[in-house]
């Protein structure tokens, strides 16, 4: 019975509530649109998108700094510190046995060749026994060779006996060297006939020790891990477009709360990563002070080469978006991003000049900035509902 009355009231309610709602959502009358476009930067209704650093990384949003003057700015992105592949070595025995001595603990500094552990093994005894037997055979063969040389010189023995003695001595020496190399491949000496010493392959610091005194270990089991981290690497991933702007030797600024450093790009891969479809980039950083640790996440800023004759402020064209009839860029804030209105000038290559709205000190979203526009639009749609 009340349905006709509801239909009569509904148009009046929409007429009184819809204009304020449109105003709160950032809509403006058509008559003022030209004035808004011509005016300097002015705030858009809220215009903020809240994102955590993890969400920014997951969305693939690349942060860059605007070009100031003739420079080309920098590409800012998260990175991970990795050890030099030549600077981390595993110490293991090629044969199994029982650990009877451990001479180094975690954190201790070692030099190349220092003995780290000694194991007892029947195989070690066999290898050393073979060396002793080969050495004895080699000595006997050398003695026979000297005898035949003397007899041949006195014209007592024929030449064929001398040749046979020379051959036997050569074969005995080869067998001795082979036995010695087998022991060396297993880890080296160790004093007693059945003991094997394991030396450090590099100079550095003990970063892992998995062996226990008295433990029986199998062949190739890891006993120690030695690292020389005086130089570390940064593992970065760039889009193909951004990687095209980076060259080996480019400086990289490294920052993390309370610390900062510098690195140099040493490798830009010519092949995309099969999983991420991004370009792997490696930078090398001095770490003789020991302040950077493998596996640590840091922020890296790759400086781009400058362009001669450039003036003012410029950003990549992909950083510029259009929202509610206004040209904006998304500036990084403490909690995410904020759409900042800007006035743009003529484009130059892949960049566009910013006439007003930015100071040049901001971080702006470049690659995948359209996702922020979509997120902002979704928020506006929810408000309208």
């Amino acid at each position: 019975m009340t349905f006709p009355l509801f239909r009569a009231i509904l148009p009046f309610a929409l007429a009184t509530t819809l204009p304020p709602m449109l105003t709160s959502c950032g809509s403006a009358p058509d008559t003022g649109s030209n004035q808004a476009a011509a005016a300097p930067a002015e705030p858009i209704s809220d215009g903020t998108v809240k994102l955590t650093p993890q969400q920014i990384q997951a969305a693939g949003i690349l942060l860059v700094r605007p070009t100031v003057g003739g420079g080309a700015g920098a590409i800012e992105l998260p990175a991970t510190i990795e050890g030099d592949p030549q600077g981390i070595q595993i110490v293991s025995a090629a044969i199994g046995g029982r650990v009877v001595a451990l001479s180094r603990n975690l954190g201790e500094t070692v030099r190349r060749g220092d003995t780290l552990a000694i194991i007892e093994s029947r195989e070690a005894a066999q290898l050393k026994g073979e060396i002793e037997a080969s050495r004895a055979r080699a000595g006997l063969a050398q003695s026979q060779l000297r005898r035949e040389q003397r007899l041949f010189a006195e014209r007592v023995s024929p030449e064929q006996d001398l040749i046979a003695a020379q051959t036997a001595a050569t074969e005995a020496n080869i067998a001795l060297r082979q036995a010695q190399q087998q022991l060396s491949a297993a880890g080296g000496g160790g004093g007693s006939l059945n003991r094997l010493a394991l030396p450090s392959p590099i100079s550095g610091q003990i970063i892992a020790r998995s062996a226990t005194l008295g433990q029986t270990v199998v062949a190739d089991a890891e006993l120690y891990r030695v690292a020389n981290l005086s130089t570390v690497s940064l593992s970065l991933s760039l889009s193909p477009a951004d990687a095209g702007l980076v060259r080996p030797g480019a400086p990289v600024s490294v920052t993390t709360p309370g610390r900062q450093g510098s690195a140099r790009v040493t490798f830009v891969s010519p092949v995309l990563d099969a999983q991420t479809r991004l370009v792997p980039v490696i930078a090398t950083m001095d770490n003789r002070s020991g302040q950077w640790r493998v596996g640590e996440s840091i922020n890296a800023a790759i400086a781009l080469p400058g362009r001669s004759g450039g003036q003012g402020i410029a950003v990549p064209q992909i950083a510029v978006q259009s929202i509610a009839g206004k040209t904006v860029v998304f500036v990084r804030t403490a909690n995410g991003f904020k759409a900042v209105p800007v006035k743009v000038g003529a484009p130059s290559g892949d960049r566009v000049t910013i006439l007003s709205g930015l100071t040049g000190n901001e971080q702006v979203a470049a690659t995948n900035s359209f996702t922020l526009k979509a997120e902002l639009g979704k928020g506006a749609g929810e408000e309208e509902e």
Side-chain angles (χ1 to χ4, degrees), residues 68-88:
V68 178
I75 299 174
E76 300 195 15
L77 70 166
T80 303
I81 295 179
E82 296 182 348
D84 185 349
Q86 300 297 323
I88 299 179

Side-chain angles (χ1 to χ4, degrees), residues 104-105 107-111 114 204-206:
R104 292 292 188 273
N105 292 319
E108 291 189 16
T109 300
V110 297
R111 293 176 298 178
D114 287 352
Q205 188 179 35
I206 303 295

Side-chain angles (χ1 to χ4, degrees), residues 54-117:
Q54 292 76 16
Q55 290 173 324
I56 294 173
Q57 182 176 0
I61 298 172
L62 181 68
L63 297 175
V64 301
R65 289 194 182 276
T67 299
V68 178
I75 299 174
E76 300 195 15
L77 70 166
T80 303
I81 295 179
E82 296 182 348
D84 185 349
Q86 300 297 323
I88 299 179
Q89 296 286 326
I90 293 175
V91 179
S92 62
I95 58 178
R98 185 170 63 90
V99 179
V100 296
L102 294 171
S103 57
R104 292 292 188 273
N105 292 319
L106 284 174
E108 291 189 16
T109 300
V110 297
R111 293 176 298 178
R112 181 178 181 181
D114 287 352
T115 298
L116 303 183

